[in-house]
Amino acid sequence: MMTRRTLTTLLSTAATVSVIAGCSSGSAAAPASTTPASSSADAALPHSGAPKVEHPLPASALSGQPCQEALTSDELKQILGMAPAGKPDNIPGLGRDCKWHNSDSGAVVGVGYDVETHGGLSIIYQNTKPQAKVWRELPPIQGFPAVAYMTSGSDTGTPADLCLVSVGIANDLSFDASLGLSDAKRGKADPCQLTARVADMVVTNLRQKAGS
């Protein structure tokens, strides 16, 4: 069975998506140390094989609405070919979510802030890794640990080529970026690589908000 986090993230994206424009990768430099987000449960984190976040961002980095802060208009144009208004959502037990849709092309990108599980990447490693069809530990994104994963779409009605990237900005905080490929792009581009580039854009904006 799909975990709640994976399922709700998948359901927050469109059933069929396409990538129009390429995305540019960002700096791989580690961020400066800031006051970490902490909780009573943080001492037990990370677990289940999840990597430690060495230079966490403060919880305030995820305090806003992803529709307003996760991606800039220029970045949306790179991803979707236009900068549509985002559609916000709140996923109980997970946090705030946004998706942007180009109705002409069918392209969609989504970003979700996990501010309610207080488990960060450990939740993904514990619950999603055993279910994943594709599991790829990525090089750190600007110093933050990240993982890309794909699950079979047969039991959720979601596309089988939908890739999600989760990035830990603290041991107990993370965000998800989601992107998929249209039929025309299947076999011609790596959806997880493209999603990682979207996640890199989000990290840049979160670091700027945090003053890192």
Side-chain angles (χ1 to χ4, degrees), residues 94-193:
L94 187 63
R96 294 173 296 279
D97 179 85
C98 186
K99 59 178 177 286
W100 296 264
H101 180 219
N102 182 332
S103 58
D104 293 333
S105 68
V108 174
V109 62
V111 176
Y113 292 171
D114 176 7
V115 296
E116 296 185 19
T117 69
H118 305 293
L121 287 186
S122 294
I123 300 297
I124 292 293
Y125 274 74
Q126 181 181 45
N127 298 328
T128 303
K129 183 177 181 180
Q131 312 291 336
K133 179 181 68 173
V134 172
W135 178 265
R136 189 183 304 171
E137 294 182 353
L138 301 174
I141 297 179
Q142 300 187 43
F144 297 99
V147 61
Y149 50 95
M150 298 171 67
T151 59
S152 173
S154 60
D155 58 345
T156 64
T158 57
D161 66 336
L162 182 70
C163 185
L164 292 94
V165 170
S166 294
V167 180
I169 68 161
N171 288 333
D172 60 344
L173 293 171
S174 65
F175 73 84
D176 303 318
S178 58
L179 193 68
L181 299 176
S182 67
D183 291 339
K185 290 287 185 178
R186 290 178 185 173
K188 300 178 181 179
D190 181 349
C192 290
Q193 183 180 53

Side-chain angles (χ1 to χ4, degrees), residues 49-64:
K52 181 180 179 181
V53 180
E54 297 292 346
H55 301 285
L57 292 181
S60 60
L62 298 184
S63 63

